[in-house]
Amino acid sequence: MLVFIVKSGSNLSIYEEAYAKQIALIIDNARANTKIIMDFSMIDKNSLIVIDSAKQTVTVKLFAQGGYSYKYFANYNVNVKRNGNYIEMEITEKS
């Protein structure tokens, strides 16, 4: 219960959900062989953004506990690389 109160009070859970959904929508609307660069300078460098191409999910963790996952529908491989404040996503066809 205490963890929920801390998470709700800081609004980080709202940001996790928003970022996960936005990234999933970007992937769903992308075409194969596309490279997308997103600026994440407003979030902590220790935050975690995981894209699992096998499960077709985006997970955003802005703090150690919890996180938010959202499913995307496009049947792509998504390779993610963090470059400083930027996230680089390379979207390719699944083979």
Side-chain angles (χ1 to χ4, degrees):
M1 183 76 160
L2 180 61
V3 174
F4 176 74
I5 293 169
V6 171
K7 284 175 63 175
S8 295
S10 64
N11 289 328
L12 287 179
S13 61
I14 294 170
Y15 288 111
E16 285 177 336
E17 181 178 347
Y19 289 137
K21 287 181 177 180
Q22 287 177 355
I23 293 169
L25 286 172
I26 288 170
I27 293 169
D28 280 335
N29 288 310
R31 295 184 180 177
N33 302 319
T34 300
K35 185 174 185 178
I36 298 169
I37 300 172
M38 299 178 68
D39 181 3
F40 277 93
S41 58
M42 65 291 230
I43 65 173
D44 185 45
K45 290 185 182 1
N46 296 324
S47 300
L48 186 62
I49 298 171
V50 177
I51 299 176
D52 186 337
S53 294
K55 294 180 182 177
Q56 293 178 267
T57 58
V58 176
T59 303
V60 177
K61 286 182 151 190
L62 298 181
F63 48 95
Q65 298 291 324
Y68 188 87
S69 294
Y70 196 77
K71 186 168 176 51
Y72 62 89
F73 300 101
N75 194 23
Y76 293 136
N77 283 323
V78 182
N79 298 314
V80 180
K81 200 170 39 168
R82 189 159 195 163
N83 187 3
N85 291 331
Y86 297 93
I87 303 291
E88 296 177 10
M89 297 187 298
E90 189 173 341
I91 299 170
T92 58
E93 290 281 344
K94 282 190 176 178
S95 42

